[in-house]
PDB file of all heavy atoms in Angstrom:
ATOM      1  N   ILE A   7       7.730  13.637  -3.367  1.00 97.00           N
ATOM      2  CA  ILE A   7       7.885  14.123  -4.738  1.00 97.00           C
ATOM      3  C   ILE A   7       8.537  15.503  -4.713  1.00 97.00           C
ATOM      4  O   ILE A   7       8.579  16.167  -3.669  1.00 97.00           O
ATOM      5  CB  ILE A   7       6.530  14.228  -5.492  1.00 97.00           C
ATOM      6  CG1 ILE A   7       5.551  15.137  -4.740  1.00 97.00           C
ATOM      7  CG2 ILE A   7       5.915  12.868  -5.715  1.00 97.00           C
ATOM      8  CD1 ILE A   7       4.281  15.448  -5.538  1.00 97.00           C
ATOM      9  N   ASP A  36       5.519  41.933 -22.227  1.00 97.00           N
ATOM     10  CA  ASP A  36       5.897  41.244 -20.981  1.00 97.00           C
ATOM     11  C   ASP A  36       5.916  39.731 -21.188  1.00 97.00           C
ATOM     12  O   ASP A  36       5.185  39.203 -22.030  1.00 97.00           O
ATOM     13  CB  ASP A  36       4.861  41.530 -19.875  1.00 97.00           C
ATOM     14  CG  ASP A  36       4.743  43.017 -19.577  1.00 97.00           C
ATOM     15  OD1 ASP A  36       5.673  43.769 -19.949  1.00 97.00           O
ATOM     16  OD2 ASP A  36       3.725  43.415 -18.968  1.00 97.00           O
ATOM     17  N   ARG A  59       5.930   6.293  -9.423  1.00 88.00           N
ATOM     18  CA  ARG A  59       6.616   6.068 -10.689  1.00 88.00           C
ATOM     19  C   ARG A  59       7.456   7.254 -11.117  1.00 88.00           C
ATOM     20  O   ARG A  59       8.493   7.106 -11.710  1.00 88.00           O
ATOM     21  CB  ARG A  59       5.600   5.750 -11.782  1.00 88.00           C
ATOM     22  CG  ARG A  59       5.242   4.284 -11.776  1.00 88.00           C
ATOM     23  CD  ARG A  59       4.344   3.971 -12.939  1.00 88.00           C
ATOM     24  NE  ARG A  59       3.060   3.517 -12.419  1.00 88.00           N
ATOM     25  CZ  ARG A  59       1.901   3.958 -12.833  1.00 88.00           C
ATOM     26  NH1 ARG A  59       1.834   4.885 -13.763  1.00 88.00           N
ATOM     27  NH2 ARG A  59       0.793   3.498 -12.314  1.00 88.00           N
ATOM     28  N   GLY A  81       2.143  30.067 -18.540  1.00 97.00           N
ATOM     29  CA  GLY A  81       2.282  28.610 -18.493  1.00 97.00           C
ATOM     30  C   GLY A  81       1.030  27.994 -17.895  1.00 97.00           C
ATOM     31  O   GLY A  81       0.327  28.639 -17.111  1.00 97.00           O
ATOM     32  N   ASP A  83      -1.197  25.605 -15.482  1.00 98.00           N
ATOM     33  CA  ASP A  83      -1.056  25.006 -14.154  1.00 98.00           C
ATOM     34  C   ASP A  83      -0.936  23.500 -14.303  1.00 98.00           C
ATOM     35  O   ASP A  83      -1.553  22.900 -15.175  1.00 98.00           O
ATOM     36  CB  ASP A  83      -2.301  25.309 -13.298  1.00 98.00           C
ATOM     37  CG  ASP A  83      -2.338  26.768 -12.860  1.00 98.00           C
ATOM     38  OD1 ASP A  83      -1.353  27.496 -13.120  1.00 98.00           O
ATOM     39  OD2 ASP A  83      -3.343  27.173 -12.252  1.00 98.00           O
ATOM     40  N   ASP A 102       5.894  20.733  12.945  1.00 74.00           N
ATOM     41  CA  ASP A 102       4.770  21.574  13.357  1.00 74.00           C
ATOM     42  C   ASP A 102       4.458  22.694  12.367  1.00 74.00           C
ATOM     43  O   ASP A 102       3.412  23.318  12.445  1.00 74.00           O
ATOM     44  CB  ASP A 102       4.983  22.130  14.775  1.00 74.00           C
ATOM     45  CG  ASP A 102       6.355  22.719  14.962  1.00 74.00           C
ATOM     46  OD1 ASP A 102       7.259  22.321  14.214  1.00 74.00           O
ATOM     47  OD2 ASP A 102       6.530  23.571  15.852  1.00 74.00           O
ATOM     48  N   ARG A 130       7.772  48.997 -20.757  1.00 95.00           N
ATOM     49  CA  ARG A 130       7.462  49.448 -19.395  1.00 95.00           C
ATOM     50  C   ARG A 130       8.534  50.348 -18.785  1.00 95.00           C
ATOM     51  O   ARG A 130       8.331  50.901 -17.723  1.00 95.00           O
ATOM     52  CB  ARG A 130       7.312  48.240 -18.462  1.00 95.00           C
ATOM     53  CG  ARG A 130       6.418  47.182 -18.987  1.00 95.00           C
ATOM     54  CD  ARG A 130       4.984  47.568 -18.760  1.00 95.00           C
ATOM     55  NE  ARG A 130       4.149  46.391 -18.814  1.00 95.00           N
ATOM     56  CZ  ARG A 130       3.151  46.181 -17.992  1.00 95.00           C
ATOM     57  NH1 ARG A 130       2.870  47.070 -17.059  1.00 95.00           N
ATOM     58  NH2 ARG A 130       2.440  45.105 -18.105  1.00 95.00           N
ATOM     59  N   VAL A 147      11.865  32.971 -11.232  1.00 98.00           N
ATOM     60  CA  VAL A 147      11.969  31.508 -11.198  1.00 98.00           C
ATOM     61  C   VAL A 147      10.752  30.948 -10.456  1.00 98.00           C
ATOM     62  O   VAL A 147      10.304  31.524  -9.467  1.00 98.00           O
ATOM     63  CB  VAL A 147      13.278  31.123 -10.473  1.00 98.00           C
ATOM     64  CG1 VAL A 147      13.372  29.614 -10.295  1.00 98.00           C
ATOM     65  CG2 VAL A 147      14.469  31.641 -11.253  1.00 98.00           C
ATOM     66  N   ALA A 161     -11.699   7.376   8.294  1.00 83.00           N
ATOM     67  CA  ALA A 161     -12.635   6.463   8.943  1.00 83.00           C
ATOM     68  C   ALA A 161     -13.245   7.213  10.119  1.00 83.00           C
ATOM     69  O   ALA A 161     -12.611   8.067  10.721  1.00 83.00           O
ATOM     70  CB  ALA A 161     -11.897   5.222   9.416  1.00 83.00           C
ATOM     71  N   ALA A 178     -15.543  -7.770  10.244  1.00 95.00           N
ATOM     72  CA  ALA A 178     -16.269  -8.635   9.313  1.00 95.00           C
ATOM     73  C   ALA A 178     -17.731  -8.786   9.735  1.00 95.00           C
ATOM     74  O   ALA A 178     -18.623  -8.874   8.892  1.00 95.00           O
ATOM     75  CB  ALA A 178     -15.590  -9.998   9.245  1.00 95.00           C
ATOM     76  N   LEU A 206     -30.714   4.023   7.571  1.00 83.00           N
ATOM     77  CA  LEU A 206     -30.351   4.779   6.372  1.00 83.00           C
ATOM     78  C   LEU A 206     -28.972   5.415   6.494  1.00 83.00           C
ATOM     79  O   LEU A 206     -28.420   5.911   5.525  1.00 83.00           O
ATOM     80  CB  LEU A 206     -31.396   5.867   6.119  1.00 83.00           C
ATOM     81  CG  LEU A 206     -32.768   5.370   5.682  1.00 83.00           C
ATOM     82  CD1 LEU A 206     -33.735   6.534   5.536  1.00 83.00           C
ATOM     83  CD2 LEU A 206     -32.672   4.588   4.368  1.00 83.00           C
ATOM     84  N   LYS A 207     -28.444   5.378   7.706  1.00 85.00           N
ATOM     85  CA  LYS A 207     -27.151   6.028   7.919  1.00 85.00           C
ATOM     86  C   LYS A 207     -26.019   5.004   7.791  1.00 85.00           C
ATOM     87  O   LYS A 207     -26.252   3.799   7.893  1.00 85.00           O
ATOM     88  CB  LYS A 207     -27.106   6.655   9.302  1.00 85.00           C
ATOM     89  CG  LYS A 207     -28.009   7.858   9.434  1.00 85.00           C
ATOM     90  CD  LYS A 207     -27.675   8.594  10.701  1.00 85.00           C
ATOM     91  CE  LYS A 207     -28.558   9.805  10.871  1.00 85.00           C
ATOM     92  NZ  LYS A 207     -28.619  10.220  12.261  1.00 85.00           N
ATOM     93  N   PHE A 209     -21.508   4.557   8.520  1.00 88.00           N
ATOM     94  CA  PHE A 209     -20.222   5.158   8.880  1.00 88.00           C
ATOM     95  C   PHE A 209     -19.099   4.197   8.515  1.00 88.00           C
ATOM     96  O   PHE A 209     -19.337   3.014   8.262  1.00 88.00           O
ATOM     97  CB  PHE A 209     -20.184   5.558  10.364  1.00 88.00           C
ATOM     98  CG  PHE A 209     -20.370   4.421  11.328  1.00 88.00           C
ATOM     99  CD1 PHE A 209     -19.278   3.706  11.797  1.00 88.00           C
ATOM    100  CD2 PHE A 209     -21.645   4.083  11.774  1.00 88.00           C
ATOM    101  CE1 PHE A 209     -19.449   2.661  12.693  1.00 88.00           C
ATOM    102  CE2 PHE A 209     -21.823   3.042  12.677  1.00 88.00           C
ATOM    103  CZ  PHE A 209     -20.719   2.322  13.137  1.00 88.00           C
ATOM    104  N   LEU A 217      -0.515  -3.124  16.267  1.00 79.00           N
ATOM    105  CA  LEU A 217      -0.093  -2.301  17.407  1.00 79.00           C
ATOM    106  C   LEU A 217       0.575  -3.188  18.458  1.00 79.00           C
ATOM    107  O   LEU A 217      -0.054  -4.028  19.070  1.00 79.00           O
ATOM    108  CB  LEU A 217      -1.312  -1.628  18.038  1.00 79.00           C
ATOM    109  CG  LEU A 217      -1.641  -0.246  17.527  1.00 79.00           C
ATOM    110  CD1 LEU A 217      -2.893   0.275  18.195  1.00 79.00           C
ATOM    111  CD2 LEU A 217      -0.478   0.702  17.793  1.00 79.00           C
ATOM    112  N   ALA A 265       2.736   7.906  22.854  1.00 86.00           N
ATOM    113  CA  ALA A 265       4.120   8.100  22.410  1.00 86.00           C
ATOM    114  C   ALA A 265       4.148   8.559  20.957  1.00 86.00           C
ATOM    115  O   ALA A 265       5.044   9.286  20.541  1.00 86.00           O
ATOM    116  CB  ALA A 265       4.915   6.796  22.562  1.00 86.00           C
ATOM    117  N   LEU A 270      -3.896  11.535  19.880  1.00 87.00           N
ATOM    118  CA  LEU A 270      -4.459  10.202  19.640  1.00 87.00           C
ATOM    119  C   LEU A 270      -4.887   9.560  20.948  1.00 87.00           C
ATOM    120  O   LEU A 270      -5.936   8.929  21.047  1.00 87.00           O
ATOM    121  CB  LEU A 270      -3.404   9.302  19.010  1.00 87.00           C
ATOM    122  CG  LEU A 270      -3.435   9.120  17.525  1.00 87.00           C
ATOM    123  CD1 LEU A 270      -2.460   8.025  17.130  1.00 87.00           C
ATOM    124  CD2 LEU A 270      -4.823   8.754  17.075  1.00 87.00           C
ATOM    125  N   SER A 274     -11.727   9.681  22.425  1.00 95.00           N
ATOM    126  CA  SER A 274     -12.617   8.812  23.210  1.00 95.00           C
ATOM    127  C   SER A 274     -12.436   7.365  22.773  1.00 95.00           C
ATOM    128  O   SER A 274     -12.269   7.088  21.588  1.00 95.00           O
ATOM    129  CB  SER A 274     -14.065   9.186  22.972  1.00 95.00           C
ATOM    130  OG  SER A 274     -14.265  10.527  23.250  1.00 95.00           O
ATOM    131  N   VAL A 278     -13.629  -2.625  24.623  1.00 96.00           N
ATOM    132  CA  VAL A 278     -14.399  -3.850  24.397  1.00 96.00           C
ATOM    133  C   VAL A 278     -13.566  -5.049  24.821  1.00 96.00           C
ATOM    134  O   VAL A 278     -12.436  -5.216  24.376  1.00 96.00           O
ATOM    135  CB  VAL A 278     -14.722  -3.989  22.885  1.00 96.00           C
ATOM    136  CG1 VAL A 278     -15.380  -5.327  22.596  1.00 96.00           C
ATOM    137  CG2 VAL A 278     -15.604  -2.850  22.424  1.00 96.00           C
ATOM    138  N   VAL A 287     -12.283 -16.761  30.135  1.00 90.00           N
ATOM    139  CA  VAL A 287     -12.484 -15.308  30.101  1.00 90.00           C
ATOM    140  C   VAL A 287     -13.606 -14.940  31.062  1.00 90.00           C
ATOM    141  O   VAL A 287     -13.504 -13.962  31.816  1.00 90.00           O
ATOM    142  CB  VAL A 287     -12.817 -14.834  28.668  1.00 90.00           C
ATOM    143  CG1 VAL A 287     -13.116 -13.348  28.651  1.00 90.00           C
ATOM    144  CG2 VAL A 287     -11.660 -15.156  27.727  1.00 90.00           C
ATOM    145  N   PHE A 292     -15.362 -11.651  34.918  1.00 69.00           N
ATOM    146  CA  PHE A 292     -16.667 -11.343  35.518  1.00 69.00           C
ATOM    147  C   PHE A 292     -16.772 -11.839  36.940  1.00 69.00           C
ATOM    148  O   PHE A 292     -16.084 -12.710  37.372  1.00 69.00           O
ATOM    149  CB  PHE A 292     -17.806 -11.975  34.674  1.00 69.00           C
ATOM    150  CG  PHE A 292     -17.826 -11.376  33.281  1.00 69.00           C
ATOM    151  CD1 PHE A 292     -17.269 -12.057  32.222  1.00 69.00           C
ATOM    152  CD2 PHE A 292     -18.365 -10.124  33.047  1.00 69.00           C
ATOM    153  CE1 PHE A 292     -17.281 -11.509  30.950  1.00 69.00           C
ATOM    154  CE2 PHE A 292     -18.364  -9.583  31.779  1.00 69.00           C
ATOM    155  CZ  PHE A 292     -17.819 -10.289  30.712  1.00 69.00           C
TER     156      PHE A 292
END
Side-chain angles (χ1 to χ4, degrees):
I7 57 171
D36 300 342
R59 276 185 243 132
D83 287 354
D102 48 336
R130 311 280 200 139
V147 175
L206 291 177
K207 290 193 180 158
F209 61 90
L217 267 178
L270 262 189
S274 305
V278 174
V287 176
F292 297 100

